[in-house]
Amino acid sequence: MASTNDIVQKLWNLCHVLRDDGVTYHQYVTELTYLLFLKMAKETGIETQLPAGYRWDDLMSKEGVELLEFYKKSLIDLGAKGSGRVQAIYANASTTIRQPRHVRTLVDAIDGLDWYSAKHEGLGDLYEGLLEKNAAETKSGAGQYFTPRPLIESMVEVVKPKAGESVQDPSVGTGGFLIMADRYVKSKTDDLFDLSEQLQLFQKRQAFYGVELSQDVQRLALMNAMLHGIEGDILLGDTLGPTGASLPKADVILANPPFGTKKGGGGATRDDITFPTSNKQLVFLQHIYRGLKPGGRAAVVLPDNVLFEEGVGQKVRADLMDKCNLHTILRLPTGIFYAQGVKTNVLFFTRGKSERGETKGVWFYDLRTNMPSFGKRTPLTRAHFAEFEKAYGDDPLGTSTRKDEGESGRFRCFSREEISKRGDNLDITWLKDASVTDHAELPEPEEIAAQIVAALQTALEEMQALQEELGS
């Protein structure tokens, strides 16, 4: 019996065939999504969602130029005539394949896969495997939409979403956080069978929702969610615009917002953001803590500059610590993101019931200093987060009994007063970096290059932000 990994590898190998037709890695995964949806609809018995004449067997029956023309017409018509999620997946769809023989190659390869094994192991796992392949292929540029799965698993594990809670991702990407949260809830409820019928429907249709800015990425997220049995809204729109302003408040928010400044300069196009800025992460952070219900909790990946940036950055951090209990910051190791050289952290916080003084102290876990430089040679695994999860404790709100490990340990607490004396600067380190004196192994060349590019981009963005402030 072929494993999911074998099937993913077979599908991925086909991308080399299409390279001759000028199809990029990212376009290839999109093309696969169009075709896989039709095949999976047949395999899972949901072809009734597709208009008659636009199904897998209709595609299989065509040859040559007629096949390519039929495929092109199908994409247009499914985007216009499809129902619900089908229409959303095919909205504004078009093919980049120019040669009929390449469509035939893809169709035959997909039809010839071991679908019994694929269904047995989970079609969702198969599709996620393809997305991960795409993200790991640095030339595709898709890493920005893909958060490493071990990190997502760890964040979900400590935040502990529960049945009946609403879970939001305002920068949904390919849907990793929502799918892992759904998987976590299912693992605690016997695949939802422990729940009432009403609660089961809520989990399938309303519990998980989010927003994605790119239509191509949204269709990947919709496909991913569908294959995992999630029917919640994954909207196409801008969280930093009206779409984000209209999102309902959530019990849990899990997110890895995009890095950088808002394209075209200027701040968010929302009138409910207290501290406008061109720094996207600072606006996303405001959206997230404002978008939590009282008592709601969040875990959000943010780059280092959010911890130390002055001006608006300091105001946002102070507001966050007033309105929320910012109880934990996990300082992540370098090299864990496929397409980024930036240094990142996870902020864990709980929305308070008041607007002032909610944070009394912040616990920092340093998983960066004296850690391996992760990449192809040293892959990040769930085991790397085991000690952090143990230190965090069982309470998702961060109120478990914790031990300050002192200057030689990785886990320390700093009071709100200490942080205030630092000008609300949360860029705190204390461990001595052994690589300064020891002959540590150098990072991989692509990671060094990525870090240089990221540093230059950050400097450029800060200069642009300063220029905008001086101009206004």
Side-chain angles (χ1 to χ4, degrees), residues 415-442:
S415 70
R416 181 69 184 90
E417 289 71 28
E418 289 176 286
I419 292 167
S420 180
K421 288 176 184 174
R422 293 169 173 264
D424 292 332
N425 186 324
L426 294 167
D427 188 27
I428 298 174
T429 55
W430 60 91
L431 287 173
K432 183 182 177 185
D433 188 349
S435 67
V436 173
T437 53
D438 296 348
H439 297 289
E441 187 179 358
L442 284 172

Side-chain angles (χ1 to χ4, degrees), residues 33-55:
T33 298
Y34 300 149
L35 292 167
L36 282 172
F37 185 92
L38 298 179
K39 177 61 174 173
M40 288 174 176
K42 179 183 177 180
E43 294 293 329
T44 55
I46 61 165
E47 279 193 310
T48 52
Q49 294 183 19
L50 299 168
Y54 294 95
R55 298 172 184 175

Side-chain angles (χ1 to χ4, degrees), residues 260-262 265-267 276-280 282 305 309-310 312-313 457-472:
T261 55
K262 189 163 170 59
T277 170
S278 61
N279 183 317
K280 283 194 291 193
L282 289 174
N305 71 285
E309 190 169 297
E310 296 180 353
V312 173
Q457 284 176 336
T458 301
L460 190 61
E461 286 160 8
E462 288 174 355
M463 289 167 66
Q464 286 173 336
L466 179 62
Q467 189 177 29
E468 286 169 17
E469 286 180 27
L470 291 171
S472 60

Side-chain angles (χ1 to χ4, degrees), residues 99-120:
Q99 299 187 40
R101 62 188 174 90
H102 287 154
V103 183
R104 185 79 256 168
T105 300
L106 283 181
V107 169
D108 287 345
I110 290 170
D111 199 61
L113 292 175
D114 182 355
W115 285 96
Y116 176 82
S117 298
K119 285 189 284 187
H120 179 74

Side-chain angles (χ1 to χ4, degrees), residues 49 110 206 240 396 414 456:
Q49 294 183 19
I110 290 170
Q206 294 173 268
L240 308 187
F414 292 83
L456 289 170

Side-chain angles (χ1 to χ4, degrees), residues 108-400:
D108 287 345
I110 290 170
D111 199 61
L113 292 175
D114 182 355
W115 285 96
Y116 176 82
S117 298
K119 285 189 284 187
H120 179 74
E121 293 195 28
L123 295 178
D125 288 348
L126 186 158
Y127 193 69
E128 276 212 287
L130 277 173
L131 296 177
E132 189 161 12
K133 279 277 189 189
N134 191 33
E137 178 49 66
T138 53
K139 297 185 192 74
S140 78
Q144 62 183 304
Y145 304 112
F146 196 92
T147 307
R149 290 302 173 254
L151 173 58
I152 291 180
E153 287 176 14
S154 185
M155 289 167 65
V156 170
E157 177 64 38
V158 298
V159 169
K160 295 179 171 38
K162 298 194 291 281
E165 290 187 321
S166 55
V167 181
Q168 179 196 127
D169 183 348
S171 51
V172 80
T174 55
F177 280 112
L178 300 185
I179 283 152
M180 199 63 70
D182 172 66
R183 188 172 293 167
Y184 181 87
V185 172
K186 284 174 177 171
S187 74
K188 302 295 181 184
T189 59
D190 188 24
D191 210 24
L192 306 184
F193 286 112
D194 290 346
L195 306 178
S196 67
E197 186 178 346
Q198 184 179 3
L199 205 49
Q200 285 185 30
L201 284 173
F202 172 80
Q203 287 304 123
K204 290 175 182 175
R205 297 177 181 174
Q206 294 173 268
F208 306 100
Y209 62 99
V211 177
E212 172 52 44
L213 187 61
S214 162
Q215 187 163 54
D216 274 347
V217 178
Q218 184 221 16
R219 64 174 107 246
L220 303 185
L222 288 168
M223 178 81 162
N224 207 6
M226 184 199 75
L227 293 175
H228 286 88
I230 298 172
E231 299 173 26
D233 286 335
I234 296 178
L235 305 171
L236 178 66
D238 186 0
T239 298
L240 308 187
T243 306
S246 65
L247 285 177
K249 292 189 184 297
D251 296 294
V252 177
I253 297 181
L254 296 157
N256 177 13
F259 304 134
T261 55
K262 189 163 170 59
K263 285 180 181 174
T269 54
R270 283 174 60 166
D271 56 11
D272 62 336
I273 294 297
T274 310
F275 306 105
T277 170
S278 61
N279 183 317
K280 283 194 291 193
Q281 301 96 46
L282 289 174
V283 184
F284 265 104
L285 180 55
Q286 290 179 77
H287 164 83
I288 290 165
Y289 67 75
R290 293 170 64 92
L292 288 171
K293 296 176 184 176
R297 57 203 184 280
V300 53
V301 181
L302 292 164
D304 276 11
N305 71 285
V306 170
L307 302 186
F308 63 75
E309 190 169 297
E310 296 180 353
V312 173
Q314 190 274 332
K315 292 175 184 175
V316 171
R317 291 191 298 274
D319 194 43
L320 168 65
M321 290 186 280
D322 268 340
K323 290 182 169 63
C324 300
N325 176 19
L326 174 62
H327 53 79
T328 311
I329 295 178
L330 169 62
R331 309 220 66 177
L332 292 170
T334 58
I336 67 171
F337 288 97
Y338 290 108
Q340 298 288 348
V342 294
K343 295 178 178 178
T344 53
N345 314 268
V346 185
L347 275 60
F348 298 88
F349 49 88
T350 308
R351 181 69 195 238
K353 293 180 171 58
S354 71
E355 298 285 300
R356 301 288 298 175
E358 288 291 335
T359 299
K360 309 301 181 190
V362 182
W363 287 83
F364 290 79
Y365 194 98
D366 186 346
L367 197 62
R368 182 184 303 168
T369 309
N370 302 325
M371 288 293 288
S373 180
F374 290 98
K376 290 177 183 175
R377 286 182 300 198
T378 312
L380 182 73
T381 68
R382 181 67 189 282
H384 289 111
F385 294 97
E387 289 302 316
F388 161 70
E389 290 171 23
K390 183 179 176 183
Y392 186 103
D394 291 331
D395 183 10
L397 303 181
T399 62
S400 297

